[in-house]
């Protein structure tokens, strides 16, 4: 057998190295559209002392967050720092956002924390965004994690337009315009979203993404499935701990 020259072997090794580098980059590129904050977070110490307020979606309740709270406890949170805000799904999201503001103030008072983190799902995105942007709540929120949030509306709301909340959730509504015009991620709050083409309820599914946030494209998860998805919920917990 003819032996390869050292120069040829080095050339092959270099090609393999380049190919591996390109493959590694390609395999991770789709995970998060804004990847720099994620890489930076990996080298920072994690903190699980921030109180977390969970905000459910349309027709939801505090029970939606049972799995999420378990995941957060496994990631180091105390039960005394985990809270679920409940609101009227059939009322008015402006009123719901005002209620969230009062709830956050109560959590801060009870825990002595200067800021909380918010995790929302579905229509909870609208309630949260109105609180942070219109009511100035970003000064009290360190992290905002939106899981399949209806942040730019969803055409699925057309099925329940009898209710004010659904009219507000429909794309193009004055409510949507108010929370999306200008800066979608105001203040020093860190923002992240999780969305998927398999959602089925947030239509279009890209509605969840926020300009200026770390937007994580989940390979395939349906709208309700997120609430039991321990992988995504673990990512959310680590984002808030960063």
């Amino acid at each position: 057998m003819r032996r390869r020259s050292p120069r040829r072997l080095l050339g092959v090794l270099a090609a393999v190295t380049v190919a591996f580098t390109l493959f590694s980059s390609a395999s991770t590129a789709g995970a998060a559209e804004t990847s720099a904050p994620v890489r930076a977070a990996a080298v920072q110490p994690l903190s699980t002392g921030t109180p977390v307020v969970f905000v459910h979606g349309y027709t939801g309740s505090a029970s939606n967050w049972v799995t999420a709270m378990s995941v957060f406890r496994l990631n180091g949170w105390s039960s005394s720092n985990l809270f679920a805000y409940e609101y009227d799904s059939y009322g008015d999201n402006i009123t719901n956002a005002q209620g969230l503001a009062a709830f956050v103030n109560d959590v801060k008072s009870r825990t002595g924390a200067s800021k909380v983190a918010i995790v929302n799902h579905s229509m909870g995105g609208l309630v949260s965004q109105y609180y942070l942007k219109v009511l100035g709540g970003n000064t009290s929120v360190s992290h905002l994690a939106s899981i399949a949030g209806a942040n730019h509306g969803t055409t699925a709301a057309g099925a329940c337009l009898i209710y004010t909340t659904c009219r507000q959730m429909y794309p193009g509504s004055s409510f949507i315009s108010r929370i999306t015009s200008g800066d979608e991620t105001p203040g020093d709050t860190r923002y992240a979203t999780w969305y998927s083409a398999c959602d089925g309820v947030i239509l279009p599914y890209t509605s969840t993404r926020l300009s200026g946030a770390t937007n994580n494209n989940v390979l395939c998860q349906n709208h309700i499935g997120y609430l039991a998805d321990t992988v995504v919920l673990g990512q959310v917990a680590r984002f808030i701990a960063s």
Side-chain angles (χ1 to χ4, degrees):
M1 180 186 299
R2 199 173 82 186
R3 300 178 64 183
R4 294 181 179 178
S5 68
R7 178 178 298 177
R8 180 172 177 79
L9 287 174
L10 288 173
V12 171
L13 179 60
V16 171
T17 301
V18 170
F20 178 79
T21 302
L22 291 174
F23 176 79
S24 299
S25 299
S27 64
T28 58
E33 295 169 10
T34 308
S35 56
V38 176
R39 289 196 297 269
V43 299
Q44 295 174 353
L46 301 182
S47 173
T48 58
T50 303
V52 181
V53 175
F54 296 91
V55 185
H56 64 76
Y58 181 68
T59 73
S61 68
S63 64
N64 291 162
W65 300 111
V66 170
T67 300
M69 289 188 178
S70 295
V71 169
F72 270 70
R73 285 193 294 269
L74 287 173
N75 277 272
W77 264 267
S78 165
S79 295
S80 61
N81 270 338
L82 301 175
F83 304 85
Y85 170 61
E86 291 190 314
Y87 60 87
D88 182 5
S89 292
Y90 310 104
D92 185 324
N93 280 322
I94 295 176
T95 302
N96 293 335
Q98 292 168 341
L100 176 58
F103 189 85
V104 168
N105 286 338
D106 182 60
V107 168
K108 289 167 59 181
S109 176
R110 291 167 59 181
T111 61
S114 60
K115 292 187 177 184
V116 306
I118 289 180
V119 178
N120 66 56
H121 177 247
S122 195
M123 194 172 76
L126 301 188
V127 177
S128 303
Q129 288 300 105
Y130 195 94
Y131 165 55
L132 266 72
K133 182 170 183 175
V134 181
L135 302 182
N138 62 83
T139 59
S140 291
V141 179
S142 64
H143 296 71
L144 185 285
S146 188
I147 306 172
N151 299 322
H152 292 88
T154 172
T155 57
C160 56
L161 293 178
I162 187 175
Y163 300 113
T164 299
T165 49
C166 287
R167 293 195 296 272
Q168 293 169 331
M169 189 162 46
Y170 199 81
S173 71
S174 59
F175 186 96
I176 295 293
S177 296
R178 193 167 187 186
I179 64 174
T180 58
S181 62
D183 189 0
E184 294 186 350
T185 53
D188 295 328
T189 304
R190 296 187 61 192
Y191 296 78
T193 73
W194 281 259
Y195 69 103
S196 174
C198 299
D199 188 292
V201 173
I202 302 302
L203 305 170
Y205 71 94
T206 53
S207 171
T208 297
R209 298 186 306 198
L210 292 171
S211 177
T214 299
N215 296 300
N216 300 280
N217 191 347
V218 179
L219 183 60
C220 192
Q221 182 56 276
N222 65 60
H223 193 65
I224 299 301
Y226 281 109
L227 299 175
D229 189 330
T230 56
V231 173
V232 168
L233 294 172
Q235 292 172 0
V236 173
R238 288 188 291 277
F239 162 70
I240 292 175
S242 65

